[in-house]
Amino acid sequence: MLSPITFPTLPGFKKNSSSAYRAHLGQRGIMGNLLKVLTCTELEHGPIVFLDFEHAQPTEAETAVWNQVSAVLEEAHGILAELQSYNGAGQEIREAIQNPNDLQLQEKAWNAVCPLVAKLKRFYEFSLRLENALRSLLEALTSPPYAPMQHLEREQALAKQFAEILHFTLSFDELKMTNPAIQNDFSYYRRTISRNRLNNQQLEAENEVNNEMANRMSLFYAEATPMLKTLSNATTKFVSENKTLPIEDTTDCLSTMACVCRVMLETPEYRCRFTNTDTMLFCMRVMVGVIILYDHVHPVGAFAKTSKIDMKGCIKVLKEQPSNSVEGLLNALRYTTRHLNDDSTSKQIRALLQ
């Protein structure tokens, strides 16, 4: 993702001068692509977290979770490619609806829709695997005895996978939001199934997508950003089920990653070293993804004054980019966050998202 870079110390920030810290850096070998950011409170003496989004390799302790998540991420590229090439059966459906008595056109539309619905089923089932992968990463990155900062520093490969999941999620949802054929195709499929049930007919396609599965898929695709909704629900569930784990362990992990991406994007010394626009988009998607997860999990959300995320800075960074590349991300902040419209959200932040 990133070209070899040596990052200078940010103005006003100091490195921890302890011998243990220097020894740790020596062991990790200051890799060329380390992203250096302070805690999200950006206190002068805050601990520095290094995240390597390009070269991070799993340690022995990370390997089990890394392998599990890697098996899921290997499918992600193919899922996006399929979604990007999803053209829908709009023409066939229109012809069938306009000519309800033409059995040949009805069959043509049905034969066009069925393989598309099978594809939509694969997308939905992948979201369930992604949810399990996210849970495994959250468990690894928040478990005792280490603090969130220590986890991100020690488990770089898992932090990278977390970022990759968010990148995929925002990419998927952007494609889905701009493709109305998905819901049109699925609606036609469900109407046809219902009509045939009334006529006591069962179509072969029902064996693959039965009524229960169709209901779950319908709820999934009804969301503007279905993958992000899945991850938000999974993160909220993770926090509620792990009552002995302080909620700050999860939210600090998320807010730190948001800061990593924001500083990369807003600091000229960092940004000018990106080799291509894909790196910029990767960072923007990850930043927006962790903001939304934070907003769903934290009791007062990401937009309050007490939030550890600099929301003004994050939104300004997005709005400095070409509108065609960030409109989907801004819409995700507008419509999939939980606390944007709370009274505690400043008018300035709301105005930035108008």
Side-chain angles (χ1 to χ4, degrees):
M1 296 289 304
L2 303 176
S3 60
I5 304 169
T6 301
F7 289 102
T9 303
L10 294 177
F13 297 158
K14 294 180 181 178
K15 290 185 178 180
N16 185 327
S17 59
S18 70
S19 58
Y21 181 77
R22 289 197 301 271
H24 175 73
L25 288 184
Q27 289 170 0
R28 290 195 65 86
I30 307 176
M31 292 176 282
N33 291 1
L34 294 180
L35 311 178
K36 181 184 61 207
V37 179
L38 292 178
T39 60
C40 291
T41 53
E42 296 189 354
L43 296 174
E44 186 176 13
H45 299 289
I48 296 173
V49 172
F50 291 91
L51 292 181
D52 180 5
F53 283 151
E54 183 179 20
H55 295 302
Q57 294 298 316
T59 61
E60 186 176 349
E62 295 173 273
T63 300
V65 174
W66 188 89
N67 285 338
Q68 175 195 340
V69 176
S70 182
V72 177
L73 286 172
E74 283 176 3
E75 299 179 54
H77 181 75
I79 294 287
L80 287 180
E82 283 192 80
L83 181 56
Q84 197 157 17
S85 63
Y86 190 102
N87 294 320
Q91 180 65 31
E92 292 87 346
I93 291 172
R94 280 192 296 274
E95 290 177 352
I97 291 173
Q98 290 167 1
N99 301 277
N101 296 320
D102 190 322
L103 296 180
Q104 190 174 357
L105 288 177
Q106 305 305 309
E107 185 177 356
K108 182 182 178 183
W110 180 250
N111 290 338
V113 163
C114 282
L116 294 174
V117 169
K119 189 177 291 188
L120 295 179
K121 180 188 176 188
R122 287 198 301 277
F123 297 166
Y124 168 71
E125 290 174 334
F126 182 76
S127 77
L128 303 180
R129 293 196 292 277
L130 202 68
E131 179 180 353
N132 289 333
L134 178 75
R135 183 181 182 87
S136 296
L137 288 174
L138 286 173
E139 288 174 351
L141 292 172
T142 61
S143 61
Y146 302 112
M149 289 293 176
Q150 292 172 304
H151 274 299
L152 290 178
E153 199 166 15
R154 291 169 59 89
E155 292 149 0
Q156 300 250 325
L158 300 187
K160 177 187 174 187
Q161 287 184 320
F162 192 96
E164 288 172 342
I165 284 178
L166 291 170
H167 179 259
F168 163 82
T169 296
L170 272 292
S171 301
F172 181 97
D173 286 346
E174 285 174 21
L175 289 171
K176 186 267 178 185
M177 280 200 298
T178 57
N179 194 341
I182 290 173
Q183 283 183 276
N184 292 340
D185 292 348
F186 195 64
S187 294
Y188 178 80
Y189 173 86
R190 298 207 72 185
R191 290 197 306 270
T192 304
I193 290 288
S194 297
R195 186 170 61 247
N196 283 302
R197 278 206 198 96
L198 290 175
N199 296 329
N200 294 320
Q201 295 176 347
Q202 180 162 357
L203 299 171
E204 189 176 333
E206 282 191 82
N207 296 328
E208 183 169 354
V209 180
N210 59 30
N211 194 50
E212 182 184 352
M213 172 63 75
N215 287 336
R216 295 203 301 267
M217 288 172 61
S218 183
L219 291 172
F220 177 76
Y221 287 111
E223 296 288 343
T225 53
M227 286 289 178
L228 199 51
K229 180 67 172 177
T230 297
L231 296 195
S232 295
N233 290 344
T235 306
T236 303
K237 185 178 179 182
F238 171 79
V239 170
S240 66
E241 289 180 350
N242 290 271
K243 299 186 185 303
T244 59
L245 185 71
I247 189 172
E248 291 80 10
D249 285 13
T250 302
T251 56
D252 284 356
C253 174
L254 299 174
S255 58
T256 300
M257 292 193 73
C259 282
V260 169
C261 296
R262 176 181 58 77
V263 173
M264 284 179 62
L265 292 165
E266 71 182 6
T267 308
E269 297 113 302
Y270 294 13
R271 196 173 60 242
C272 71
R273 291 172 172 84
F274 293 164
T275 57
N276 55 57
T277 55
D278 287 345
T279 302
M280 293 278 288
L281 193 54
F282 178 89
C283 292
M284 288 189 286
R285 283 176 176 150
V286 174
M287 182 179 73
V288 169
V290 290
I291 287 171
I292 293 169
L293 294 186
Y294 182 100
D295 193 59
H296 278 254
V297 172
H298 197 281
V300 298
F303 300 95
K305 288 182 180 179
T306 55
S307 168
K308 290 187 177 180
I309 297 177
D310 177 6
M311 285 306 305
K312 290 180 186 176
C314 291
I315 296 169
K316 285 179 180 177
V317 159
L318 291 174
K319 299 198 89 169
E320 287 170 0
Q321 313 306 318
S323 60
N324 63 330
S325 66
V326 298
E327 191 59 30
L329 298 178
L330 290 169
N331 282 337
L333 290 177
R334 290 173 184 130
Y335 306 123
T336 66
T337 49
R338 180 174 290 174
H339 295 280
L340 174 61
N341 295 317
D342 288 2
D343 292 338
S344 58
T345 302
S346 72
K347 292 180 180 179
Q348 188 176 1
I349 289 179
R350 289 184 191 175
L352 283 171
L353 283 174
Q354 291 299 318

